[in-house]
Amino acid sequence: MQSEDRPAEDKTRVRDAATVIVLRDRATAPKILMGQRGAAAAFMPNKVVFPGGAVDPRDAEVPLAAPLDATCRARLEDGAPARLVDALAAAAVRELWEETGLILGRPGTWPGAPPADWARFAATGHVPSAEGLTFVFRAITPPGRPRRFDARFFLVDAERIAGDPDDFSGAEDELSHLRWIPLDRVREADLPFITEVVLAEVAARVAHPGPPPSVPFFRNSDEESLFLRLHGRPMPE
């Protein structure tokens, strides 16, 4: 219940978020991990989506067993404070864990008590790791939606997962019908527009591991919607 002396949260403000695209069998028959949002969800009900969600304030305090790639870090810092970069990486790991039960981490002991949202993850005996997370896309939800996010999309190979990539038993209930969908069939699902755009970038990266030459940015504001590259440069026609 909202405290009487605290204003209600503005659900329409733009929140920083991290989305995780897990790619399996890159060299043979590429597949993407996706799930379906509930019919009652305020944001993208019934849509088939990648795991992901908003950054929590405590994500910036979470230890990372391995850092982000230096190129990805530099691109994430374009228009964002340095402190947010590690929080985005941590949020990506946490959201993947919460929504799928899959672990991006290394075996290890936390240096102190984990935040409450991380207690179940820490209990697995792993410390979150940003190793292998590649920043491939950024998009801001258009105005007028019930929720708005400044989402950074990370691509990671399923080989980085600690444990069985088919074991979703640890997942919470935000996403249903978790499944690996062949990349060449995924557009048959009920996808949000931005997911279709991101999938085109993913398809281009299948044969080219590592950071892309540049990162697209779909920037939406009250004034205009633009596809940019980082540093504000418009994408070529």
Side-chain angles (χ1 to χ4, degrees):
M1 180 179 296
Q2 187 73 36
S3 170
E4 292 183 0
D5 59 356
R6 183 185 303 169
E9 179 185 0
D10 180 6
K11 299 293 187 180
T12 62
R13 72 180 178 88
V14 179
R15 300 181 65 191
D16 290 301
T19 299
V20 189
I21 309 156
V22 188
L23 177 64
R24 188 175 189 178
D25 303 325
R26 178 193 288 264
T28 54
K31 304 174 186 67
I32 298 291
L33 179 60
M34 304 193 78
Q36 186 173 21
R37 293 183 61 81
F43 187 70
M44 296 184 178
N46 294 316
K47 294 293 187 180
V48 175
V49 298
F50 309 119
V55 174
D56 287 343
R58 299 293 298 276
D59 287 336
E61 304 170 15
V62 171
L64 293 174
L68 282 165
D69 171 88
T71 299
C72 293
R73 171 176 289 277
R75 290 170 175 174
L76 285 164
E77 288 178 349
D78 181 11
R83 178 177 171 80
L84 177 60
V85 173
D86 285 339
L88 286 164
V93 175
R94 177 180 51 74
E95 288 289 337
L96 183 68
W97 161 248
E98 291 176 353
E99 296 189 351
T100 72
L102 300 182
I103 297 170
L104 288 176
R106 294 182 179 180
T109 302
W110 287 56
D117 287 349
W118 285 87
R120 284 200 316 121
F121 186 100
T124 69
H126 292 83
V127 177
S129 173
E131 187 175 21
L133 286 172
T134 302
F135 178 39
V136 294
F137 204 93
R138 180 180 176 184
I140 299 178
T141 310
R145 303 296 174 86
R147 301 285 190 278
R148 296 192 68 200
F149 299 98
D150 186 347
R152 282 75 163 187
F153 292 76
F154 296 92
L155 180 64
V156 66
D157 280 272
E159 288 78 7
R160 299 285 186 181
I161 293 169
D164 183 356
D166 292 310
D167 181 6
F168 305 128
S169 60
E172 298 177 1
D173 59 1
E174 186 167 348
L175 293 182
S176 62
H177 306 298
L178 288 162
R179 60 202 185 277
W180 295 97
I181 305 178
L183 186 57
D184 61 0
R185 299 284 303 275
V186 70
R187 287 176 179 79
E188 298 172 12
D190 185 7
L191 305 173
F193 162 73
I194 196 62
T195 301
E196 295 189 30
V197 177
V198 174
L199 281 167
E201 291 293 320
V202 172
R205 301 309 310 155
V206 167
H208 304 283
S214 60
V215 175
F217 177 16
F218 187 29
R219 189 184 72 191
N220 285 287
S221 67
D222 291 328
E223 292 78 27
E224 58 186 352
S225 296
L226 292 174
F227 269 110
L228 307 171
R229 294 289 176 179
L230 293 187
H231 307 293
R233 292 191 295 270
M235 290 181 69
E237 297 293 339

